Amino acid sequence: MATFSLERTAPLPLDEAWRRLTRWERHGDTVPLTRVFAEPPGPSGPGTVVVARTGAGPLAFDDRMEVTVWRPPLDDAPGLCRLEKRGRVVRGWAEIEVRPGPGGRARVEWREELDVRLLPAAFDGALGRSGRYVFGRTVNHLLRQP
């Protein structure tokens, strides 16, 4: 099992940072060969299923995640979204927290625990580093795109 976290500060109000980070379909923009969609489409909440389909043809797999916590930020109260990974290949969880930062900015923390089926524990360090890199790029992209 690999764990990682990353933090970013963005010159955005909390609600806008939250909106950008929880537009699930945009999460695939920076991940090669990945499309992301939510079921049902529309506003997210507890029970929403987010699916990241990665790969091509018979080599593709789904990373299925269910939103189990959905607390958007309100005024200066932080927001928290927790996704439980329930796929056949990828297990674990991810949390996105948006809270007030310095100078009226939004402070974002992304925490994740990944378990990839059939991947030996010897690869946990590399998986954590690559996850931090990939999701760091994704968070940067999402926060920059209106």
Side-chain angles (χ1 to χ4, degrees), residues 7 18 28 32 40-42 44 50 57 60 68 70-71 91 93 99 101 108 131 136 141:
E7 292 189 32
W18 177 267
S44 290
V50 179
T68 58
W70 181 262
R71 278 195 320 259
R91 308 286 286 178
W93 53 265
R99 62 182 184 277
V108 173
H141 174 76

Side-chain angles (χ1 to χ4, degrees), residues 6-65:
L6 55 100
E7 292 189 32
R8 300 290 188 268
T9 301
L12 299 168
L14 295 182
D15 60 340
E16 179 61 13
W18 177 267
R19 184 187 72 77
R20 291 181 186 193
L21 291 166
T22 59
R23 287 187 302 172
W24 308 120
E25 70 282 356
R26 298 296 305 273
H27 281 237
D29 290 356
T30 60
V31 183
L33 300 173
T34 299
R35 269 186 338 111
V36 180
F37 59 93
E39 300 169 346
S44 290
T48 298
V49 175
V50 179
V51 179
R53 182 154 186 81
T54 300
L59 300 178
F61 66 91
D62 289 343
D63 179 5
R64 294 182 59 79
M65 300 160 271

